[in-house]
Amino acid sequence: MRDYVVDNIETRTREELFINMHPIQAAGRLTPEAMKALIAYGDGYSTCDWCRKPFRLDKIPRPPIDEFHAELAKFLGMDQARVVPGARRGFQAVASSIIEKGDSVVLSSLAHYTEFLAVEDANGVVKEIPLNEKNVITADATAQKIEDVKKESGKLPKLIMMDHIDYSFGNEHDVYGIAKIAKEYDIPFLYNGAYTIGVMPVDGRKIGADFLVGSGHKSFASPAPSGIVATKDEWAGKIFRTTQMVGDLTKRRFGIKEVEMLGCTLMGSNLIGMMASFPRIKERIKNWDEEVKKSNYFLGGFLKIEGNKVLSELPRKHTLTKVDTRGSFDKIARTHKRRGFFFSDELKDRGIVGEFPGATRIWKLNTYGLIWDQIRYLVNAFKEIAEKYGLDVSD
Amino acid sequence: MRDYVVDNIETRTREELFINMHPIQAAGRLTPEAMKALIAYGDGYSTCDWCRKPFRLDKIPRPPIDEFHAELAKFLGMDQARVVPGARRGFQAVASSIIEKGDSVVLSSLAHYTEFLAVEDANGVVKEIPLNEKNVITADATAQKIEDVKKESGKLPKLIMMDHIDYSFGNEHDVYGIAKIAKEYDIPFLYNGAYTIGVMPVDGRKIGADFLVGSGHKSFASPAPSGIVATKDEWAGKIFRTTQMVGDLTKRRFGIKEVEMLGCTLMGSNLIGMMASFPRIKERIKNWDEEVKKSNYFLGGFLKIEGNKVLSELPRKHTLTKVDTRGSFDKIARTHKRRGFFFSDELKDRGIVGEFPGATRIWKLNTYGLIWDQIRYLVNAFKEIAEKYGLDVSD
């Protein structure tokens, strides 16, 4: 029997009843404080109770939205920060401000699709940097791509975007080296921290980034859609430029409103949820090494199962990992009457969800936020399933 | 003593402890069902549990997000609908798809600032239609403005945007007549329903609109940011065009993702909140006449106070109203030691909030969703305050 919120919307109990290893849900899971904020500030315009002149979200003092913006910028080693409805809106704001028709944007061969869309919406063209044999983007490869673009189009790219940790393998790419190359060529550099900001320490100044973009619902324990775009003062005037439009008849101006932000950005509990999670975020990034250790521990156990492979770089530097079970669980699936779903069934019977249901070939998982007991339980569950179906498990 | 969610974020109790007549908060207040949805689906990627091929938010069957999209389009008398993070993102999607550099967009002298920003972001130019003596935009004035733009620039405007009910006076503008004019000139027409969709019946086909834009947190009892953009099949290919970008190296394509939507738009409880409120929305729009009646009843009482004026059109056709108390409460404020805040204090003592604190000159209020007992209480409270300070109150 299922319970329903209303009509045909069932109650969601995945986080209450299961260990969830879903690749993108792990670090976005709300903190208890964000959940409380959701209840208290659920009404959309709840943040507007104390909105006064100059009437812009990031200037509201109560709750202290203004302070949060200042602290957020500082936390990221940048001068200014804004909240936006998702990292994608951050990419869009930067691309829309910098890219003109036909301009090239150099990005990763593992760039997230939302970077493609942001460039396309700005009428730019994406140019992908090749991966090395370890599926990593290097500074050298970036420099080479810049040269290729220059040779081919006669112009330097207008922007470099780089995912510090990519969405596919969860590999770490050389953002420090790439930022240096960007500086050498005098090309602005956007750091995509969708998988880093909120889970590990990120210092934009140290990296040498011109723009940082983060995701609230991916890595900042915040409701969706939510995200962050931060920049240095020298770019703020461009990315956060205020409206210059004047009504031809009324002569109206809305001077303080920022064009790319479309005025106020993230009202209600999405923002207050980010603020409520922030103190815990500041703490949890200090435990990143421990999270990575758990990730590696789990995969160590996972690799004891005959035929299992890890496609991401090893040792892991992140908790998101791409695995290959074609040589193990997929062999079982080929003759099982439930096909790949046998594996989902077995996991679910053990209180585990988050794998892609039915997938036993190449898939992704994320151990972020699981406690050691859950990690060990997960390892045992995988081994148990393997043994049940006659796969060898080494000690 | 205040309670806190965490740190310096105080618990919000405005809707629990007060009658709230805030101009923009009234119709966005969550339904009990949306509140439950918030609790169940608070995690940002909660909507992604059952995301399968082709991997786009509006195609997800469980909870039935796909059905909701289809029903929403039907509900609005349009062919296709998408949810977006706020009405402003709807304006942006349409403007960005249609407007090229220097193109003119004809809009209301009472157009919301987010329409200005959307046009500015698309490098267009706004051209305002004058108001008549009743602060209303007519079809004739629209036709005249189109002619003026044509004469002046040699080209027809590329888009007409019109707020059915404006944010300032809450007046009703002749969207039916304006849509006809738009059709005559063959200019696409965007209907801004931020103050109508979700509170009164809106039928895009009947109106003759090419695009409808609505706000979830303003009029659809939904969390922020949330909004709706809907269109007819003939425009869907343009506004909801899918990405054509191809990775130069990897040849990656993300064919189903829509450029203006930036892929998936409104995950988590913002969307599920809209869905949860939808059954009640469908009911409540049938009671719109009663809501307007309450608005007029309240203002009838309000006008019994000597010096009070209503600046919006009368009788009211909406629950949002601009009032002028310069001849009444402001006279008191001028010599009161708390200045305009005396009025806020008096209201608050009577359990009423939502006026602009300290404002006793020209301000706005909204009676939407208050029950008759609260409306009568509100009238009595205003009269009581007036009498306390020696203002004449007629029978």
Side-chain angles (χ1 to χ4, degrees), chain B residues 301-314:
Chain B
F302 172 90
L303 286 171
K304 301 276 190 200
I305 297 165
E306 176 199 3
N308 272 357
K309 282 183 190 164
V310 171
L311 300 182
S312 306
E313 57 180 349
L314 280 174

Side-chain angles (χ1 to χ4, degrees), chain B residues 181-197:
Chain B
I181 297 293
K183 196 145 288 169
E184 279 171 27
Y185 283 94
D186 199 24
I187 302 170
F189 176 57
L190 183 151
Y191 168 98
N192 177 356
Y195 283 98
T196 56
I197 292 171

Side-chain angles (χ1 to χ4, degrees), chain B residues 202-274:
Chain B
V202 172
D203 183 334
R205 195 157 284 118
K206 221 192 244 171
I207 293 162
D210 296 291
F211 314 105
L212 290 191
V213 172
S215 168
H217 47 274
K218 197 162 261 157
S219 301
F220 210 85
S222 300
S226 62
I228 300 162
V229 55
T231 188
K232 300 192 286 185
D233 279 334
E234 61 181 285
W235 282 104
K238 195 164 178 83
I239 308 302
F240 303 141
R241 70 192 176 282
T242 53
T243 172
Q244 301 302 314
M245 192 72 88
V246 184
D248 62 323
L249 199 67
T250 62
K251 307 299 172 198
R252 287 188 294 165
R253 291 168 181 273
F254 304 98
I256 185 129
K257 306 290 188 182
E258 295 167 344
V259 178
E260 291 300 340
M261 299 296 108
L262 296 170
C264 299
T265 53
L266 205 62
M267 293 84 92
S269 53
N270 287 23
L271 171 55
I272 308 297
M274 294 181 84

Side-chain angles (χ1 to χ4, degrees), chain B residues 57-71:
Chain B
L57 186 70
D58 57 306
K59 308 283 187 186
I60 293 173
R62 183 174 165 193
I65 296 170
D66 52 357
E67 275 175 33
F68 173 68
H69 277 80
E71 277 180 37

